[in-house]
Amino acid sequence: MTYRRGEPSRRPVPHSVGGMRVLVTGGAGFIGSAVVDTLSARGHEVVVLDVRPPGPDERRPWVVADVRDPAAVESALAGVDAVCHQAAKVGLGKDFADAPDYVSRNDLGTAVLLAAMASAGVRDLVLAGSMVVYGEGRYECGRHGVVRPGPRAEADLRAGRFEPGCPRCGDALGPGLVGEDAPTDPRNVYATTKLAQEHLASAWARATGGRAVSLRYHNVYGPGMPRDTPYAGVASFFRSALARGEAPRVFEDGRQRRDFVHVHDVAAANALALEAMGDRPSDACVAYNTGSGDPHTVGEMAHALAAAYGGPMPVVTGEYRLGDVRHITADPARLRAELGWRAEVGFEEGMTEFAKAELG
Ligand SMILES: NC(=O)c1ccc[n+]([C@@H]2O[C@H](COP(=O)([O-])OP(=O)(O)OC[C@H]3O[C@@H](n4cnc5c(N)ncnc54)[C@H](O)[C@@H]3O)[C@@H](O)[C@H]2O)c1
Ligand SMILES: [Zn+2]
């Protein structure tokens, strides 16, 4: 089965849910546009707010504005029941000079949005969270149990020692699935801004009696994924390389583990979270890992994409980026148990489709 942008998900629409009017910020983006399509297909009315203009065939209400513009946000909120906040500056960026723009767009932007929601009396928020808030994933040492390795030293990376060791004894560690209650440890500016968004949402919920959910997305991929830029995800780099006839260049030794989750599954998680808002307690922001629960290495992902594309096959380069974590894989049990969500697009199926999909 193949998926295209605009195609509704296979999930049945619950009959009990009346149509809501939802403001989707960042609704022109990779994930936001999939959320918009899924919400529309499930009978909700969608208002988009994005700095990018709508496509020529767009019929939904669309506010071309920056989320930091209080007047524009206020008008976009008219008659809205809930907000799905996807707008953000994403990726690792070029260098530290990007920091003010990340903080401004992601944190000032969220604060302006929440303040406008507080005045408009809009009480329900679903936030595009991220697994980057955890830093390194979960690790166990044979002697010391669950441990938290710090950032990897550049000297180790340069020498090809990619696996973090036990911070107490230096032994090799076994990676596991991270749960939502793991301590947060953002390792770069973007990660810091994503964590601050959650803290702002919690503060807003307490102050206003609002209800907030943060869906901590893992590595989202699928049709419409942005092309390679300093802000794109690894699947996009590989896909763009293949399109140029080049071999995907896999950093480190290719054994770093990630959870690749399809954009349609992420869009469905947003819809389920919005539809279940009425059942949750106010005054809190609750986090949910939004990952497939089926980890793969970056090398496996490159291999699956290249094979489905018809080559060239990936090369493992030993390059590294400071600030990248070694392994980060999700335990989506809470999302399954509380929202009845599960990933429907499997790794092989999704990568085979993505190898042929159009990029954004
Ligand atoms: N792609 C992933 O793997 C991933 C993983 C974890 C979290 N996320 C989060 O998901 C959300 C969506 O990411 P994406 O991958 O779709 O990125 P994207 O860049 O495709 O989409 C972001 C959208 O937000 C808009 N935008 C940015 N700043 C804005 C502003 N100040 N005002 C109004 N609109 C603005 C952009 O124009 C764009 O359309 C982000 O919050 C991101 O942090 C993404
Ligand atoms: Zn140890």
Side-chain angles (χ1 to χ4, degrees):
M1 175 143 191
T2 56
Y3 300 86
R4 279 175 208 93
R5 264 172 115 154
E7 187 180 305
S9 113
R10 285 179 272 187
R11 282 180 178 74
V13 178
H15 295 294
S16 56
V17 177
M20 288 179 284
R21 185 173 164 97
V22 181
L23 174 64
V24 181
T25 70
F30 165 46
I31 299 169
S33 61
V35 171
V36 166
D37 290 338
T38 298
L39 289 175
S40 298
R42 292 169 78 95
H44 304 295
E45 213 187 311
V46 175
V47 183
V48 171
L49 184 144
D50 201 297
V51 285
R52 279 153 56 175
D57 303 327
E58 182 60 57
R59 299 242 170 329
R60 287 170 283 234
W62 193 292
V63 180
V64 181
D66 195 297
V67 77
R68 291 165 293 186
D69 174 350
V73 174
E74 187 191 326
S75 75
L77 281 171
V80 157
D81 300 303
V83 173
C84 185
H85 183 34
Q86 306 290 323
K89 180 179 173 104
V90 304
L92 215 50
K94 292 191 290 290
D95 55 39
F96 200 82
D98 285 345
D101 195 41
Y102 273 106
V103 173
S104 178
R105 287 221 234 170
N106 298 358
D107 298 335
L108 176 60
T110 299
V112 169
L113 173 67
L114 292 170
M117 289 172 70
S119 332
V122 179
R123 294 280 173 266
D124 291 334
L125 173 74
V126 173
L127 180 65
S130 176
M131 51 90 180
V132 293
V133 300
Y134 297 117
E136 285 286 352
R138 185 187 161 93
Y139 292 86
E140 267 182 65
C141 167
R143 278 194 270 174
H144 297 108
V146 176
V147 290
R148 297 168 39 71
R152 296 177 293 170
E154 178 149 29
D156 285 335
L157 296 172
R158 210 181 307 124
R161 286 187 298 270
F162 300 120
E163 288 292 339
C166 173
R168 294 178 62 189
C169 68
D171 275 7
L173 300 172
L177 299 180
V178 69
E180 289 86 352
D181 298 327
T184 51
D185 185 9
R187 297 282 175 90
N188 54 49
V189 172
Y190 168 67
T192 304
T193 66
K194 293 308 286 183
L195 183 57
Q197 287 187 316
E198 292 189 354
H199 290 317
L200 286 166
S202 296
W204 163 84
R206 279 193 301 276
T208 65
R211 301 180 279 213
V213 162
S214 176
L215 298 174
R216 290 177 177 166
Y217 309 157
H218 282 246
N219 288 60
V220 188
Y221 74 97
M225 191 172 187
R227 279 161 215 283
D228 56 348
T229 67
Y231 312 102
V234 62
S236 160
F237 293 136
F238 295 168
R239 179 64 184 68
S240 301
L242 289 165
R244 293 192 302 267
E246 295 167 14
R249 295 173 64 80
V250 180
F251 285 5
E252 305 190 11
D253 59 2
R255 297 206 192 94
Q256 52 281 45
R257 287 151 57 89
R258 293 291 184 275
D259 188 313
F260 298 100
V261 60
H262 195 278
V263 67
H264 273 91
D265 286 324
V266 171
N270 277 276
L272 290 172
L274 285 160
E275 287 164 1
M277 270 338 245
D279 304 334
R280 63 179 52 255
S282 53
D283 308 345
C285 178
V286 180
Y288 292 90
N289 283 337
T290 306
S292 68
D294 176 30
H296 285 272
T297 67
V298 171
E300 284 167 353
M301 191 268 284
H303 201 273
L305 270 184
Y309 195 82
M313 295 315 276
V315 289
V316 175
T317 67
E319 289 163 274
Y320 56 84
R321 299 190 304 184
L322 275 182
D324 274 348
V325 297
R326 177 64 177 170
H327 305 291
I328 173 70
T329 54
D331 182 354
R334 183 183 286 176
L335 193 55
R336 284 199 193 118
E338 293 185 20
L339 292 175
W341 176 92
R342 65 176 190 82
E344 291 192 343
V345 185
F347 179 78
E348 291 295 335
E349 179 192 10
M351 289 299 167
T352 303
E353 170 230 12
F354 183 55
K356 311 215 162 102
E358 295 230 356
L359 297 178

